[in-house]
C-alpha cells in the first residue's frame, strides 16, 4: 500500500505555485503508519536509500499524469510535492478563472439583455458570495487528485523539499531515495518584473487574487497577454474600473494582428482602458492607491498615471531553483527552463522533464500530455514523442480566441510565400441567432494545401479549434472536412464553409486541367 509522510513545509525552496506546487499551503495531518514512524526516527546518514522505479518531483498536471501512466506499467512510483496534489489550474488557475469568467459573462448578459428583447437589469454583485461559490466548484473539480485517490492508485506520496544528490539519487528533507528513472514536473510560477516600488504595492498575481474578499474599485493589470485580457474583461464586467498596460504595441502580441484589434475593440467597448507600447518604470504606493510612472522602453515620454490595486500578469518563471539539478547532470537553459529531446529526456537520460518546466506555453492540457509521455518513456520500451506545436491554445475572453499551429507571420518565416491563406469574418447563422457580432476564421495551408495553422474567434472558439487540431495532427487538408456532416447552426459553420469552398476550388482546378 502507498505510504504518506507528512512533514512541515519549510519557507522557500524549489517548488513554486505553478503546476501544482503551493508554497503557502498548510497540509492536513494525514497520520502516520508504524512504518512511517520508524522511517521518521531513522538517522538519514545511516539509512539505505529506498529505491523506486520512478520518482516524480511535482504533483501538478504533468506530475500526476506521469505517475499514473507509470503505474499502468506496474512501476513502483514515488511522488514528491511540497503542497497538496493537484494541478495549479484547478486550485488557483484555469478552474477558478473560468468560474469567474462565467459569473462575469452572466452579469454582462443581465445588463445587455435588451439585445434579446428582455428588459436589462444591473446585477447586484456580492463578491464574497461569488468567490465562495468559486471555491465550491474548485473542490468539486478536484477529487481525482486527492491524496486518497493517489494512494488507491498505488502511488507513494511524500511531502517535502526535493534535492538531487546525484544522477540517480535525491533527498526529501534529508531522507535519501534512489531511482531508476525520474520525472521533473515542478511547473512554473508567476513572474514578477523588477520594477522599482512594485513589491511595496503588494501586487496580486493570477494565483493570489483568489484571496480577495471584495471587488476592487480600480484594478490595473500589468501585462496584456491571455491572462491579462481574460481577467481584465471579467473584473470590468463585475464592476471594477480596469486598466491594462502592455509593453508591446498591441494586446495578445503572439496572436494574429486582426485578433488583437478585435479583442481590444471589444474590451474598450466594455469600459476597459488599454495602454499599449508602454512600460511601467516605477510604482509609488500611497495609503489607498498607487501611482505608476510609465513611458517608452527607452524611458522617453515618461508620465504618471493613477492606479488602483495592481495585478501582475506578465508571464511565468520556471520552478527549478533549489533542485540542485547540476548534481544530477541536468543543466537548465539561460531562462531556467529544462531542455529535452522529443522523448522528453534531459541531458541525464535517466531523468525526464514535463509540463511548464520546459518553457513554451503553460497549458494544463499540454502539461498533462507531457506527463503521460514522460511517464510512458520512463517505464516502457515503447517510446512516444512530444509534439508541442500541435497543441491547441485558447484565450478565454468573450469572444474566445482559439489557435493551433502557426500564425501567418510565423508560417511565412518558415515557408516564405508558399502559403494559402483563407480568412473570413462572415457572421454565421448561429451568431445571428444569438445576436453576436462577427468573429474571425483564418486557416493557413502550405502550397500543397496541408494545414499548418488556424485561428478562430467566436464565443465557442475553444471547442471549434479542436476540430482543426485533429486535421493538423494528421497532416490533413481543410477540404477533407467537407465530407464530414456538421450540425447546423453551430459556431463551427465557418469551418465547414471553408472546407466546402476549398473542395469546390479543388474540383474547378481539376476540371480546368482536362
Amino acid at each position: 500500500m502507498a505510504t504518506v509522510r507528512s512533514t512541515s513545509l519549510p519557507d522557500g525552496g524549489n517548488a513554486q505555485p505553478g503546476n501544482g506546487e503551493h508554497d503557502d499551503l498548510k497540509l492536513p495531518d494525514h497520520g502516520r503508519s508504524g512504518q512511517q514512524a520508524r522511517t521518521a526516527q531513522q538517522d538519514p546518514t545511516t539509512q539505505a536509500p529506498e529505491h523506486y522505479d520512478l520518482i516524480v518531483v511535482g504533483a501538478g498536471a504533468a506530475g500526476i499524469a506521469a505517475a499514473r501512466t507509470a503505474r499502468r506499467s506496474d512501476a513502483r512510483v514515488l511522488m514528491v510535492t511540497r503542497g497538496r496534489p493537484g494541478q495549479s489550474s484547478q486550485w488557483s488557475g484555469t478552474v477558478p478563472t473560468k468560474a469567474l469568467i462565467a459569473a462575469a459573462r452572466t452579469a454582462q448578459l443581465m445588463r445587455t439583455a435588451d439585445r434579446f428583447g428582455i428588459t436589462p437589469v444591473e446585477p447586484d454583485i456580492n463578491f464574497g458570495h461569488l468567490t465562495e461559490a468559486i471555491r465550491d466548484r474548485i473542490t468539486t473539480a478536484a477529487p481525482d487528485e486527492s491524496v486518497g485517490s493517489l494512494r488507491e492508485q498505488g502511488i507513494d506520496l511524500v511531502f517535502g523539499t526535493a534535492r538531487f544528490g546525484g544522477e540517480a539519487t535525491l533527498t526529501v528533507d534529508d531522507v535519501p531515495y534512489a531511482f531508476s528513472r525520474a520525472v521533473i514536473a515542478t511547473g512554473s510560477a508567476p513572474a514578477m518584473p523588477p520594477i522599482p516600488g512594485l513589491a511595496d504595492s503588494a501586487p496580486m498575481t493570477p494565483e493570489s487574487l483568489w484571496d480577495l474578499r471584495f471587488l476592487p474599485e480600480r484594478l490595473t493589470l500589468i501585462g496584456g497577454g491571455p491572462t491579462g485580457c481574460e481577467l481584465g474583461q471579467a473584473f470590468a464586467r463585475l464592476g471594477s474600473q480596469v486598466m491594462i498596460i502592455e509593453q508591446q504595441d498591441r494586446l495578445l502580441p503572439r496572436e494574429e494582428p486582426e485578433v488583437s484589434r478585435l479583442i481590444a475593440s471589444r474590451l474598450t467597448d466594455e469600459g476597459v482602458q488599454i495602454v499599449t507600447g508602454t512600460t511601467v518604470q516605477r510604482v509609488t504606493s500611497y495609503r489607498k492607491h498607487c501611482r505608476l510612472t510609465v513611458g517608452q522602453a527607452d524611458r522617453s515620454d515618461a508620465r504618471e498615471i493613477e492606479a488602483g490595486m495592481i495585478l501582475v500578469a506578465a508571464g511565468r518563471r520556471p520552478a527549478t531553483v533549489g533542485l540542485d539539478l547540476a548534481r544530477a547532470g541536468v543543466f537548465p537553459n539561460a531562462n531556467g527552463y529544462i531542455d529535452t529531446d522529443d522523448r522528453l529526456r534531459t541531458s541525464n537520460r535517466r531523468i525526464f522533464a514535463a509540463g511548464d518546466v520546459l518553457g513554451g506555453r503553460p497549458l494544463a492540457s499540454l502539461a498533462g500530455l507531457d506527463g503521460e509521455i514522460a511517464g510512458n518513456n520512463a517505464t516502457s520500451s515503447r517510446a512516444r514523442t512530444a509534439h508541442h506545436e500541435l497543441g491547441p491554445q485558447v484565450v478565454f475572453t468573450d469572444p474566445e480566441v482559439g489557435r493551433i499551429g502557426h500564425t501567418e507571420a510565423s508560417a511565412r518565416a518558415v515557408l516564405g510565400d508558399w502559403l494559402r491563406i483563407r480568412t473570413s469574418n462572415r457572421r454565421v447563422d448561429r451568431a445571428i441567432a444569438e445576436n453576436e457580432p462577427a468573429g474571425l476564421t483564418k486557416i493557413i495551408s502550405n502550397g500543397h494545401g496541408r494545414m499548418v495553422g488556424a485561428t478562430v474567434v467566436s464565443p465557442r472558439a475553444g471547442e471549434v479549434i479542436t476540430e482543426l487540431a485533429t486535421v493538423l495532427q494528421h497532416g490533413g487538408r481543410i477540404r477533407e472536412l467537407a465530407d464530414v456532416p456538421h450540425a447546423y447552426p453551430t459556431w463551427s459553420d465557418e469551418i465547414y464553409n471553408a472546407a466546402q469552398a476549398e473542395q469546390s476550388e479543388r474540383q474547378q482546378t481539376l476540371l480546368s486541367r482536362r
Side-chain angles (χ1 to χ4, degrees):
M1 178 178 289
T3 60
V4 177
R5 180 170 63 84
S6 297
T7 65
S8 60
L9 295 181
D11 294 333
N14 63 295
Q16 300 294 339
N19 210 6
E21 300 292 298
H22 294 260
D23 293 298
D24 56 353
L25 187 67
K26 293 183 179 179
L27 295 173
D29 184 5
H30 300 292
R32 297 186 180 187
S33 67
Q35 175 61 40
Q36 290 169 314
R38 287 193 296 274
T39 300
Q41 293 170 1
Q42 288 178 345
D43 181 357
T45 61
T46 61
Q47 180 181 343
E50 189 170 4
H51 184 274
Y52 282 86
D53 298 320
L54 179 68
I55 295 181
V56 180
V57 183
I64 289 176
R68 286 174 170 166
T69 302
R71 282 296 300 143
R72 290 198 288 269
S73 298
D74 202 30
R76 187 167 186 244
V77 178
L78 174 68
M79 179 179 290
V80 183
T81 178
R82 296 187 69 240
R84 85 182 124 185
Q87 49 187 291
S88 64
S89 64
Q90 285 196 317
W91 299 115
S92 58
T94 302
V95 173
T97 300
K98 301 312 168 284
L100 181 75
I101 289 171
R105 182 177 64 247
T106 301
Q108 185 71 1
L109 285 171
M110 292 172 66
R111 64 170 63 94
T112 61
D114 54 340
R115 65 193 176 102
F116 301 110
I118 300 172
T119 302
V121 60
E122 185 62 30
D124 183 10
I125 297 171
N126 184 314
F127 195 74
H129 290 171
L130 188 154
T131 54
E132 192 173 310
I134 290 175
R135 283 192 292 273
D136 289 342
R137 270 167 268 175
I138 294 172
T139 303
T140 302
D144 291 342
E145 298 179 350
S146 66
V147 171
S149 174
L150 295 171
R151 291 178 62 186
E152 289 174 0
Q153 296 169 60
I155 299 170
D156 288 1
L157 195 63
V158 171
F159 293 97
T161 299
R163 298 181 188 278
F164 285 96
E167 293 187 351
T169 61
L170 58 76
T171 61
V172 182
D173 294 342
D174 298 325
V175 177
Y177 295 91
F179 56 82
S180 298
R181 298 287 187 271
V183 174
I184 301 170
T186 47
S188 64
M192 193 62 61
I195 300 172
L198 178 60
D200 297 333
S201 68
M204 297 182 294
T205 70
E207 294 180 352
S208 68
L209 70 85
W210 308 108
D211 295 330
L212 274 177
R213 294 297 179 266
F214 63 91
L215 182 69
E217 180 181 352
R218 289 191 298 173
L219 181 67
T220 301
L221 292 103
I222 300 177
T227 302
C229 289
E230 291 171 1
L231 293 176
Q233 184 180 43
F235 274 97
R237 288 178 161 190
L238 292 172
S240 297
Q241 298 177 34
V242 175
M243 175 190 296
I244 300 176
I245 301 175
E246 167 57 44
Q247 67 176 352
Q248 300 296 322
D249 61 358
R250 58 188 175 94
L251 297 181
L252 302 175
R254 294 185 179 181
E255 304 303 327
E256 300 282 7
E258 51 266 51
V259 170
S260 298
R261 291 191 294 270
L262 195 155
I263 297 302
S265 175
R266 184 67 170 264
L267 266 58
T268 300
D269 289 344
E270 295 184 11
V272 177
Q273 183 179 354
I274 297 171
V275 181
T276 57
T278 300
T279 61
V280 179
Q281 300 169 358
R282 176 176 294 277
V283 179
T284 305
S285 300
Y286 298 93
R287 187 162 177 251
K288 292 186 177 180
H289 72 285
C290 296
R291 183 169 295 155
L292 307 183
T293 302
V294 301
Q296 304 297 319
D298 61 3
R299 296 189 176 275
S300 64
D301 191 33
R303 63 192 187 280
E304 292 188 343
I305 57 178
E306 296 296 317
M309 297 187 70
I310 296 176
L311 197 163
V312 178
R316 301 184 69 83
R317 58 183 175 82
T320 53
V321 175
L323 284 173
D324 288 346
L325 294 176
R327 290 187 177 184
V330 177
F331 303 98
N333 60 31
N335 296 317
Y337 292 101
I338 298 176
D339 293 326
T340 67
D341 62 14
D342 61 0
R343 296 185 182 183
L344 301 184
R345 296 176 297 189
T346 68
S347 50
N348 177 349
R349 293 305 177 92
R350 292 176 179 264
I351 299 177
F352 297 73
D356 291 7
V357 78
L358 301 180
R361 296 172 294 170
L363 304 176
S365 56
L366 286 183
L369 182 57
D370 275 355
E372 290 182 16
I373 294 171
N376 173 82
N377 292 348
T379 57
S380 171
S381 59
R382 295 185 176 182
R384 295 171 58 186
T385 56
H387 300 281
H388 293 144
E389 72 279 3
L390 300 180
Q393 55 187 336
V394 182
V395 183
F396 290 93
T397 47
D398 183 11
E400 296 175 353
V401 179
R403 179 165 63 84
I404 182 71
H406 283 289
T407 61
E408 181 178 348
S410 65
R412 289 195 183 282
V414 176
L415 300 173
D417 292 331
W418 197 56
L419 293 177
R420 299 170 64 181
I421 311 294
R422 182 177 295 278
T423 302
S424 172
N425 56 6
R426 183 170 59 177
R427 197 179 182 204
V428 297
D429 289 352
R430 181 62 179 270
I432 294 172
E434 298 194 16
N435 204 3
E436 289 283 351
L440 173 72
T441 301
K442 186 171 187 177
I443 299 172
I444 305 168
S445 304
N446 63 22
H448 292 307
R450 297 194 180 277
M451 197 176 75
V452 297
T455 295
V456 176
V457 180
S458 82
R460 294 294 180 269
E463 278 71 37
V464 173
I465 199 65
T466 302
E467 181 178 22
L468 294 175
T470 303
V471 176
L472 184 63
Q473 178 94 23
H474 293 88
R477 298 174 172 87
I478 189 64
R479 68 171 181 262
E480 293 166 3
L481 294 178
D483 297 327
V484 180
H486 284 62
Y488 169 85
T490 66
W491 295 107
S492 62
D493 279 353
E494 195 53 38
I495 302 298
Y496 187 53
N497 294 339
Q500 287 185 315
E502 187 111 345
Q503 181 78 301
S504 177
E505 291 172 7
R506 172 66 174 171
Q507 292 171 347
Q508 291 296 326
T509 300
L510 293 176
L511 287 173
S512 67
R513 292 176 180 174
R514 291 183 178 180

